[in-house]
Amino acid sequence: MSDTTTGAVTEARVYLPAEDFVKNAAIAGMPAYEALCKEAADDYEGYWGRLAKELITWQTPFTQVLDESNAPFFKWFADGKLNASYNCLDRNVERGLGDKTAIIFEADGGEVTKITYSELLAKVSQMANGLKSIGIGKGDRVVIYISMSIDGVAAMQACARIGAIHSVVFGGFSAQSLRDRIEDTGAKAVITADCQVRGGKKLPLKSIVDEALTLGGCEKIEKVLVINRADAPVTMTEGRDVWMSDVIAGQSTTCEPEWVEAEHPLFLLYTSGSTGKPKGVQHSTGGYLLHAALTTKWTFDLKDNDVFWCTADIGWVTGHSYITYGPLALGGTEIVFEGVPTYPDAGRFWKMIQDHKVTIFYTAPTAIRSLIKAAEASDAVHPKSYDLSSLRLLGSVGEPINPAAWEWYYKHVGGSRCPIVDTFWQTETGGHMITPMPGATPMVPGSCTLPFPGIQAAIVDETGKDVPNGQGGILVVKKPWPSMIRNIWGDPERFIKSYYPADFQGKYYLAGDGAIRDEKTGYFTITGRIDDVLNVSGHRMGTMEIESALVSCTELVAEAAVVGRPDDTTGEAVCAFVVLKRPAPTGDEAKAIAKQLRDHVGKEIGPIAKPKDIRFGDNLPKTRSGKIMRRLLRSIAKNEAITQDTSTLENPAILDQLGQAY
């Protein structure tokens, strides 16, 4: 229990869930957690089948739980039929929750709108009927490019209602990134808004859609549906662009759900891979919805009277699972927030928790770290200046949380009484994979602790052999699970190569992360990506993608290599090494070119991908076979002393050049 440091060994403190929390928890105490793990180990299909019957309403019940005949293309509940929107809306109204608040929306400027389950059902039905009226039906893809709003959630639910497949693109992505996703999905329509409002500014959305559609490859788009957020000026293209209000005018507020097979794709969501092209992660309806609902029930311990707030954007998987689907499937009340945590000041989160009496709060380590900085600089925005007594549970998502940030979050936000669920999962996994159970698991800062009941996580070496606790290795999942990725849209070969590689005989799901288990407790700690993917503020970005964006600035750049380095606020920062088509610049000229390159990357991918450091050299350090020495670049990026052998370098003087960051 001590937190004293002796030599290199640090013994982390252990935090136990409070007794009164344990008493009322969905999983109360470690014996209850262990019993669920045992049930799954003894009868895996029986376990998931039982939960699928308990948590999901099926129009046609399934008779088979898991079909492994075409592994790794696993099927779950394949002969069952359901509708995700029915499960989130109609059934809650049918069980008497029509007047319960489904969403509390707070706009950037602080305006609050509440919508009940009955009202949300009517809105979604109207939108679904509107989509049908323009020829969208089962299996059609719809790209949604919109900010956090009730409309955004309703648009996703309306697609699900008619069996259309939605693909939400985060509102911070550029026209080029949006184009790539529209082309890859083969979408028929885009749903967008005139603008989004963030930090007091109106930021364009519709004009970025217009630009994306001029870049070629989007010929399948028939309609662009525009929601009016703030009367921002927009150009409407006749025949293609229509206001959503006109499409839904006069539409009925009832819409029979399209009952789809459990394996019917619910959505595609794009994520960065280690090669340049983003991957369209395909998720099913039945298995995905089950895990979104189950993890909301167990990890967040959601109760009828909770006010749940997940701060993620619906453009990321966290916003899908823990805003659009999970909490609504359980009939919960949730917050949707349009703005940013630092506007009008860095106390915004704490003020909202106080105003709305939030009980469960789920956010990212980057947000916590930036708010720590602000709170330490000014008492006015410190959590202690707000009444946060309504909180009973905290969560962390997107990247590993460092122990110091965990401790601060626990003490200053949770008042040392709220368990913290440090959740490890991915876009590809659909929901939580390794996480504490808040009423059972003793918590250790910085560790995501133990697998979710039924998830067979393990750590193996390069050949797929289990490694002993205390030894680092590669994180895998040994058995399929209901909410797993089904395919990479249109690219089954890449799916197998990325997630079921031949190294492990195609048997294990490869998470792409390194991890280690504690020798004594068996607790998992994630140590970082094993491929060339960076995690910046919880956003995954492939180094290849950023390198390609830099090299596409053809008049300037000859070659580029991108690596990550640790960063106190964002977890990881993008560091770019650039060779120009002219001698390496220095001083003010280097600063000006660095700014030009940053702006170019922002335009190609989006602001989140802008390199923090740019280093110029006349060439890049390479081995004799011409491979870029990325390990060396990582050391330079961290400003570490170079200890590895550099005698093979063509040009050792390069190291001095690359030492200067702009």
Side-chain angles (χ1 to χ4, degrees):
M1 293 288 284
S2 79
D3 56 352
T4 50
T5 306
T6 47
V9 181
T10 308
E11 224 175 287
R13 285 189 60 181
V14 176
Y15 292 82
L16 297 171
E19 270 175 45
D20 59 338
F21 194 104
V22 176
K23 259 203 307 263
N24 301 306
I27 297 179
M30 277 312 271
Y33 165 80
E34 284 156 359
L36 287 164
C37 294
K38 185 173 177 329
E39 181 192 349
D42 292 348
D43 178 8
Y44 196 64
E45 290 188 30
Y47 168 82
W48 286 114
R50 168 177 78 79
L51 291 165
K53 284 178 187 145
E54 284 174 17
L55 281 158
I56 303 287
T57 303
W58 299 87
Q59 188 253 1
T60 307
F62 56 88
T63 60
Q64 184 184 21
V65 174
L66 171 61
D67 174 357
E68 300 183 75
S69 60
N70 185 24
F73 298 94
F74 300 102
K75 290 180 177 168
W76 285 87
F77 322 116
D79 58 351
K81 282 191 166 179
L82 74 161
N83 180 280
S85 171
Y86 173 87
N87 272 276
C88 292
L89 302 172
D90 310 59
R91 72 168 178 172
N92 288 316
V93 173
E94 288 163 12
R95 58 191 186 110
L97 299 179
D99 294 337
K100 182 176 179 178
T101 301
I103 296 174
I104 304 165
F105 171 66
E106 181 162 319
D108 182 74
E111 308 80 2
V112 174
T113 313
K114 294 184 178 178
I115 188 165
T116 65
Y117 273 93
S118 290
E119 291 164 339
L120 186 56
L121 174 58
K123 184 181 180 78
V124 166
S125 297
Q126 268 197 312
M127 220 181 251
N129 287 326
L131 290 173
K132 282 201 290 197
S133 73
I134 60 165
I136 291 176
K138 184 180 174 186
D140 289 331
R141 278 79 63 205
V142 175
V143 165
I144 301 174
Y145 184 65
I146 200 167
S147 66
M148 288 294 289
S149 53
I150 293 173
D151 284 320
V153 173
M156 293 163 81
Q157 287 277 353
C159 289
R161 197 161 191 88
I162 59 174
I165 304 168
H166 60 70
S167 185
V168 185
V169 177
F170 171 59
F173 275 129
S174 68
Q176 184 65 47
S177 296
L178 176 62
R179 185 219 79 90
D180 294 347
R181 287 156 175 76
I182 292 172
E183 179 184 45
D184 197 69
T185 56
K188 242 177 141 170
V190 176
I191 299 176
T192 187
D194 54 341
C195 66
Q196 53 182 334
V197 185
R198 286 172 73 83
K201 295 187 195 71
K202 287 185 188 176
L203 304 168
L205 285 171
K206 167 69 170 64
S207 61
I208 298 173
V209 173
D210 292 343
E211 187 189 337
L213 297 183
T214 63
L215 296 171
C218 305
E219 289 72 24
K220 290 191 176 148
I221 293 286
E222 294 171 12
K223 290 285 182 217
V224 175
L225 306 170
V226 189
I227 291 164
N228 183 2
R229 163 65 184 91
D231 294 321
V234 293
T235 311
M236 298 292 275
T237 301
E238 185 113 15
R240 183 193 76 186
D241 301 352
V242 275
W243 289 102
M244 181 67 90
S245 51
D246 293 342
V247 174
I248 60 177
Q251 293 291 352
S252 162
T253 53
T254 59
C255 171
E256 178 63 20
E258 177 77 38
W259 302 104
V260 300
E261 310 74 25
E263 282 298 319
H264 178 71
L266 177 63
F267 64 88
L268 308 173
L269 193 52
Y270 284 78
T271 182
S272 289
S274 48
T275 59
K277 189 180 170 211
K279 298 185 280 203
V281 171
Q282 179 182 324
H283 274 291
S284 73
T285 303
Y288 168 80
L289 192 64
L290 165 63
H291 204 56
L294 180 66
T295 47
T296 307
K297 186 179 168 102
W298 286 356
T299 312
F300 297 122
D301 194 51
L302 190 77
K303 308 278 190 246
D304 289 344
N305 55 353
D306 274 315
V307 176
F308 176 82
W309 182 17
C310 162
T311 67
D313 191 284
I314 51 173
W316 308 116
V317 73
T318 305
H320 284 53
S321 300
Y322 302 112
I323 296 174
T324 301
Y325 291 110
L328 296 179
L330 296 180
T333 297
E334 60 180 359
I335 308 266
V336 170
F337 172 50
E338 179 181 38
V340 292
T342 49
Y343 176 81
D345 59 44
R348 180 71 181 266
F349 274 6
W350 320 134
K351 184 175 181 314
M352 282 179 63
I353 292 171
Q354 171 180 283
D355 291 354
H356 301 296
K357 303 216 169 358
V358 172
T359 57
I360 304 169
F361 180 62
Y362 191 39
T363 195
T366 294
I368 298 163
R369 289 190 292 262
S370 62
L371 295 172
I372 294 175
K373 266 189 193 162
E376 286 175 353
S378 159
D379 270 358
V381 296
H382 193 288
K384 66 183 180 195
S385 305
Y386 298 83
D387 177 7
L388 306 183
S389 58
S390 59
L391 285 171
R392 65 180 199 90
L393 178 61
L394 301 173
S396 165
V397 60
E399 54 189 308
I401 182 167
N402 49 306
W406 192 105
E407 297 266 6
W408 186 89
Y409 191 31
Y410 184 77
K411 182 176 170 189
H412 296 289
V413 180
S416 302
R417 64 175 191 284
C418 302
I420 297 179
V421 288
D422 172 3
T423 59
F424 167 80
W425 59 297
Q426 302 169 307
T427 305
E428 294 89 342
T429 69
H432 303 151
M433 301 299 280
I434 307 175
T435 174
M437 292 292 111
T441 319
M443 294 161 289
V444 169
S447 166
C448 49
T449 68
L450 294 169
F452 188 86
I455 300 295
Q456 307 284 325
I459 299 174
V460 299
D461 64 14
E462 278 76 5
T463 63
K465 244 175 56 217
D466 284 84
V467 301
N469 287 1
Q471 214 175 300
I474 299 162
L475 181 64
V476 296
V477 184
K478 289 188 169 181
K479 280 188 173 176
W481 65 100
S483 64
M484 65 188 296
I485 174 174
R486 294 306 197 260
N487 204 346
I488 291 173
W489 182 252
D491 200 343
E493 278 173 33
R494 191 176 178 196
F495 165 75
I496 296 173
K497 213 164 110 190
S498 302
Y499 302 110
Y500 282 89
D503 309 356
F504 307 146
Q505 288 84 49
K507 284 195 171 67
Y508 297 166
Y509 167 85
L510 174 68
D513 284 280
I516 186 164
R517 296 189 77 165
D518 185 86
E519 247 173 302
K520 294 194 197 91
T521 59
Y523 279 15
F524 286 77
T525 297
I526 307 297
T527 51
R529 298 288 301 174
I530 56 174
D531 55 15
D532 291 321
V533 175
L534 309 180
N535 191 333
V536 181
S537 304
H539 306 317
R540 257 169 64 176
M541 273 175 289
T543 53
M544 259 290 295
E545 223 176 331
I546 306 169
E547 287 168 11
S548 306
L550 286 162
V551 176
S552 71
C553 191
T554 47
E555 71 281 7
L556 267 177
V557 177
E559 198 174 15
V562 168
V563 299
R565 66 161 175 79
D567 182 88
D568 286 346
T569 305
T570 56
E572 225 173 351
V574 176
C575 179
F577 293 84
V578 177
V579 177
L580 298 178
K581 290 181 172 173
R582 44 149 286 182
T586 53
D588 287 347
E589 187 187 19
K591 279 185 197 150
I593 295 175
K595 181 181 180 316
Q596 188 183 341
L597 292 176
R598 277 192 190 96
D599 292 346
H600 179 75
V601 170
K603 191 169 173 315
E604 286 290 308
I605 303 175
I608 50 176
K610 286 183 179 181
K612 196 159 194 179
D613 308 340
I614 294 184
R615 297 166 182 262
F616 296 103
D618 287 325
N619 47 41
L620 293 174
K622 291 180 180 171
T623 62
R624 288 205 175 121
S625 62
K627 256 183 119 172
I628 297 172
M629 297 169 76
R630 289 178 185 269
R631 197 176 293 172
L632 184 64
L633 293 181
R634 285 191 193 98
S635 297
I636 298 172
K638 293 180 199 164
N639 292 319
E640 292 173 348
I642 304 296
T643 52
Q644 65 194 87
D645 180 20
T646 54
S647 59
T648 57
L649 279 183
E650 296 161 55
N651 171 12
I654 181 97
L655 296 178
D656 294 336
Q657 268 184 341
L658 295 172
Q660 179 61 49
Y662 295 96

